[in-house]
Every structure is written in C-alpha cells, then in structure tokens.
Amino acid sequence: VLPDTPPRTLSDRSLAAVADLIRSGRAKRIVVMTGAGISTAAGIPDFRSPKTGLYHNLARLNLPHPEAVFDIDFFREDPRPFYVLAKELYPGNFQPTVSHAFIALLARKGLLRMLFTQNIDCLERAAGVPPELIIEAHGSFATQRCIECKTPFPDDAMRAHVERGDPPSCPREGCDGLVKPDIVFFGERLPDAFYEGSSIAAQADLVLVMGTSLTVHPFAGLPRLAPEPVPRVLLNRECVGDLGTRADDVLRLGTCDAGVRDLADALGWRGELESAWEEV
Ligand code: CNA
C-alpha cells in the first residue's frame, strides 16, 4: 500500500531529504537494522538470494533441507555440516564493506543510537562500531559453549577445531555434549540483549534498514517499533517488510554500498567515508 499523504518529517521521500535531517541535527538517535545483504560484497553469501545464497549452496552438504544446518536437533545428530559452514564464515576470513564503515562513521559522529544486526560474521566490530552500540540479535562466533551443560569453551581451541572442521565436545568431566558457537539456531531464544534493547528502536529519530529480507522473526518486527512520523530508510536490493508504506519511508533499491555512498555524498561525508573504509 503506497502512502497517499505527504511526509511529515522529511521535505520529500529522498536521500537528500534524509541527509538534510541529519545535517540539521534533527536526527541524532539513528537506529540501524542490518542483515546478510551488507556482507555479501565482502564475499559472504546471504541466505536467500537465488543461486548465490547460502541455502542454494548448502545442497552439497547433504542436508535434509538447507535450514537444517541451523537446527539444534539436526546439529545433535550431525554437527559436521554446521562446522563446514562455520569454517567458511569464521571471523578473520573477511573484510568489512563500505556499508559497515558507514555505520562505524555514524558511531564516530555520535549519531548511532544502536545497531541491531542479524549477522554472525562480526564485521561490524571489525569496522570499528563500538561493541556497546551493537546488538547481535542472532548471536555471533565470538563465544561458544556446550549445548547440554552450557560450559564455556576457550576461543583459541575453538578456532583450531573450526579450522580442522572438527566439532569439539564439552571440556567438563562427565559431559560429552557438543560445543556450538553462541549463534542462535532456529527455535532458540534470542539473546536477552535483544529483548532488553528492542525498546531503543521505539526511541529512534531515524531508522536505517539495510541488507535484510525481514523474514526472520522477531527481528523482522523491529522497523515497525519506530513510531510515525519517524523516517525509515531502506537500502536493499528489494522491497521488504512494510517499508515504503509510511509517508516518511524512503526506498533506495540497489546495493547497500551504492546506497550508503549516495547518502554519504548527500551528507558531504563521502571522502571521510572512503578513507575510514580504507583504514579498516
Ligand atoms: P537474507 O534473508 O538472506 O536476505 C538478504 C537480503 O539482502 C535480501 O533482501 C537481498 O535481496 C538483500 N541483499 C543481498 N545482497 C545485497 C546487497 N549487496 N545490497 C543490498 N541488498 C542485498 O538475510 P537476512 O539477514 O535478512 O536473514 C536473516 C538471517 C541470515 C540471519 O539469521 C543471519 O544470521 C543469517 N545470515 C547471516 C550472514 C552473515 O553473518 N553475514 C550470512 C548469511 C546468513
């Protein structure tokens, strides 16, 4: 449904108007919501893009269905496909994109209220977004523990196991549970930080949604928490969620990187953005 009323906060539904809002100081609690699409340019496939998506490529792992790689019951039966994937996605193998650098720049300028990410690649931290401004809604590879007794497992040993594609088991005597990185599998509860932090989305004065299909709940409900007429900007290949239905929504369809560069141009930050990205 397209809005039939003019925008109330923005002068028009354009990135230039969004840039004016930021430059005038009327948007200084920016909430960013991201997904796999901000990392595809780094070489990490997303889930759902046809042909290049992770689900498409998981066929070679002999899974009953692609989502099984993130299914806790399947993991108990056979953790090896997950460890094949973990080796591919493990932090350190990839460099942040200019989209990650843009979020870090917002933080450096004191304009980032919070980044909610569904990604598990830790590229936000690598780009320099301060950890206290990141809510990793689906967890990350940063820590790991036994799936049965929850005993933590050391980082350096984990890295070695992942390198070898060899699922570790619990270091505690008497427990032979499997060890899994603290990333959220299907059916698992999201980290407390997500539930505790989601009210922050309601305090945003500008929302940026980037590189997500907004199909995984409860994350998919976050953009709706921003009250009207808070502007919501979508930088994505396709239209997603209810973005575009409100009078102050701005859609910039295309790659996230092209979108943030356009926004940086409109803000007069382009040189600063490119040099920040080069320094990452
Ligand atoms: P998704 O469902 O695969 O959707 C990705 C979205 O991004 C789609 O709408 C694409 O059209 C769009 N897209 C892809 N590339 C670009 C690009 N370069 N520029 C603009 N848009 C692009 O991924 P979601 O994140 O929405 O799904 C949630 C899952 C995916 C989360 O649980 C993640 O943990 C999981 N995931 C994470 C990673 C990662 O950490 N990098 C990789 C793959 C999957």
Side-chain angles (χ1 to χ4, degrees):
V1 192
L2 284 170
D4 51 10
T5 49
R8 283 191 278 161
T9 305
L10 297 171
S11 52
D12 58 54
R13 295 178 24 131
S14 70
L15 287 185
V18 173
D20 282 344
L21 191 78
I22 298 173
R23 271 196 315 237
S24 71
R26 283 179 297 145
K28 47 183 184 301
R29 293 190 311 274
I30 304 178
V31 172
V32 181
M33 303 167 185
T34 62
I38 69 162
S39 294
T40 52
I44 306 175
D46 65 9
F47 273 1
R48 292 176 185 80
S49 289
K51 296 233 160 57
T52 54
L54 212 49
Y55 281 153
H56 181 84
N57 291 320
L58 285 172
R60 66 195 155 87
L61 297 180
N62 260 336
L63 293 162
H65 54 94
E67 288 90 345
V69 75
F70 294 115
D71 179 311
I72 195 72
D73 295 325
F74 181 79
F75 181 83
R76 264 197 192 91
E77 244 169 70
D78 186 2
R80 286 166 307 173
F82 170 77
Y83 273 86
V84 172
L85 184 82
K87 185 173 178 179
E88 258 175 60
L89 291 189
Y90 217 60
N93 293 343
F94 299 96
Q95 287 299 312
T97 66
V98 73
S99 296
H100 293 98
F102 183 79
I103 303 167
L105 188 58
L106 286 178
R108 211 165 74 205
K109 290 180 179 289
L111 297 171
L112 181 68
R113 179 65 186 86
M114 192 58 77
L115 164 64
F116 289 84
T117 182
Q118 297 168 92
N119 294 347
I120 50 178
D121 53 34
C122 298
L123 286 183
E124 304 85 0
R125 296 171 192 229
V129 182
E132 66 274 16
L133 291 182
I134 307 175
I135 292 181
E136 289 166 330
H138 295 164
S140 84
F141 282 107
T143 53
Q144 52 282 317
R145 68 198 65 245
C146 169
I147 60 170
E148 309 301 347
C149 74
K150 313 293 177 206
T151 300
F153 191 78
D155 296 350
D156 45 350
M158 185 65 180
R159 180 169 284 277
H161 276 273
V162 169
E163 286 292 316
R164 298 197 301 271
D166 167 26
S169 33
C170 185
R172 195 175 65 85
E173 275 236 11
C175 177
D176 61 354
L178 286 161
V179 171
K180 168 177 102 41
D182 291 331
I183 66 173
V184 179
F185 275 29
F186 290 116
E188 288 190 311
R189 196 184 140 81
L190 271 53
D192 288 342
F194 176 81
Y195 299 101
E196 286 158 10
S198 48
S199 63
I200 293 170
Q203 301 157 9
D205 50 19
L206 175 65
V207 170
L208 265 181
V209 178
M210 303 165 63
T212 169
S213 62
L214 286 185
T215 49
V216 179
H217 292 274
F219 192 98
L222 282 180
R224 279 199 179 87
L225 296 182
E228 289 200 66
V230 169
R232 303 182 306 173
V233 181
L234 176 70
L235 307 179
N236 207 52
R237 282 223 168 97
E238 51 178 353
C239 244
V240 295
D242 73 335
L243 275 293
T245 63
R246 294 185 186 176
D248 285 88
D249 286 349
V250 175
L251 304 182
R252 201 297 186 184
L253 300 186
T255 69
C256 302
D257 289 353
V260 299
R261 284 189 162 116
D262 281 356
L263 185 53
D265 278 335
L267 284 160
W269 297 356
R270 180 66 183 275
E272 207 180 341
L273 173 66
E274 301 293 343
S275 37
W277 183 43
E278 273 164 32
E279 282 160 25
V280 168

